[in-house]
Amino acid sequence: MLTNWVVMPTCLPLVLRRCHTCASERFRASGKFRVNAHHKLIDAWLLVLCTGCGETAKLTLLERANVRSVRPELLDRLHANDPGLTAELLQDPVVRHRNRIALDWGDAWRLDTGGSDHLDREVIDVSVRFAARIPVRPVRLIAEGCGLPRAEVERLVTEGKVVSAVRLNSRLSGDFTFTLKR
């Protein structure tokens, strides 16, 4: 019997970037956008706030783009400060690369296992699905989902009692399955 687990975001991740004012390394997304139009060209930024001093920084989304090339629904969402758009854009690899930022998902996710009725079975087949691109080590997810220490899960992996088609010791942000034999 296949058990489904879901890795779900609980809040927006922190943005890893150096603050020019206080040298802090973390920013939180304010959820607000700044849009500036100059004739037929448009600029758009996502505003982020330093966790140390509260200084505002801008993450570039659009730079001197022709207004006609921007989808009207995107412009509406930017003007409305859509929180869903903030989450989408923070996970966009193009935006992260353009602004030279990384994301800290430390305390911004949770694992939904659907209950603990699977823990007493001899063999557990689990499908793990990610609701967002959250990089997590599968060993950590297995430990948390099964209520085991991480060292115990690593021992089970080396003994061949935890089997998966993916490497369980490296970070993943995509769906995978595994089998645990006790």
Side-chain angles (χ1 to χ4, degrees):
M1 185 168 151
L2 186 67
T3 304
N4 294 308
W5 291 358
V6 180
V7 178
M8 304 175 64
T10 56
C11 61
L12 292 174
L14 293 176
V15 175
L16 299 176
R17 173 185 171 165
R18 187 168 196 80
C19 178
H20 298 294
T21 305
C22 72
S24 173
E25 299 278 331
R26 299 189 185 309
F27 284 79
R28 64 178 174 78
S30 69
K32 304 219 184 280
F33 296 96
R34 168 109 195 268
V35 180
N36 188 22
H38 183 22
H39 298 288
K40 295 180 182 179
L41 302 178
I42 191 166
D43 296 315
W45 300 275
L46 171 61
L47 302 179
V48 293
L49 304 171
C50 176
T51 57
C53 66
E55 184 72 20
T56 301
K58 299 185 288 190
L59 301 181
T60 303
L61 306 174
L62 299 171
E63 191 169 36
R64 298 292 176 205
N66 191 316
V67 174
R68 291 179 187 251
S69 69
V70 180
R71 295 185 329 267
E73 60 271 2
L74 175 61
L75 276 176
D76 291 342
R77 291 176 77 189
L78 288 169
H79 287 298
N81 291 320
D82 184 357
L85 181 60
T86 302
E88 289 172 30
L89 292 172
L90 280 177
Q91 293 181 41
D92 186 353
V94 174
V95 171
R96 290 198 323 254
H97 179 72
R98 173 187 285 156
N99 292 284
R100 295 184 185 102
I101 61 169
L103 300 179
D104 177 10
W105 283 96
D107 296 323
W109 62 273
R110 69 179 174 85
L111 178 65
D112 182 16
T113 60
S116 60
D117 59 337
H118 62 280
L119 297 178
D120 56 348
R121 288 190 246 146
E122 284 294 314
V123 177
I124 305 170
D125 289 319
V126 179
S127 171
V128 181
R129 188 177 63 79
F130 286 79
R133 283 186 236 121
I134 304 170
V136 183
R137 293 185 193 282
V139 169
R140 179 177 179 189
L141 294 175
I142 295 167
E144 187 174 317
C146 295
L148 299 170
R150 202 176 309 175
E152 174 73 12
V153 173
E154 289 174 356
R155 184 184 63 77
L156 291 171
V157 169
T158 56
E159 291 177 358
K161 294 187 176 183
V162 177
V163 181
S164 180
V166 299
R167 286 190 59 209
L168 298 173
N169 289 329
S170 61
R171 290 184 184 265
L172 286 179
S173 58
D175 302 350
F176 69 97
T177 58
F178 72 91
T179 303
L180 170 65
K181 303 172 193 165
R182 296 191 190 232

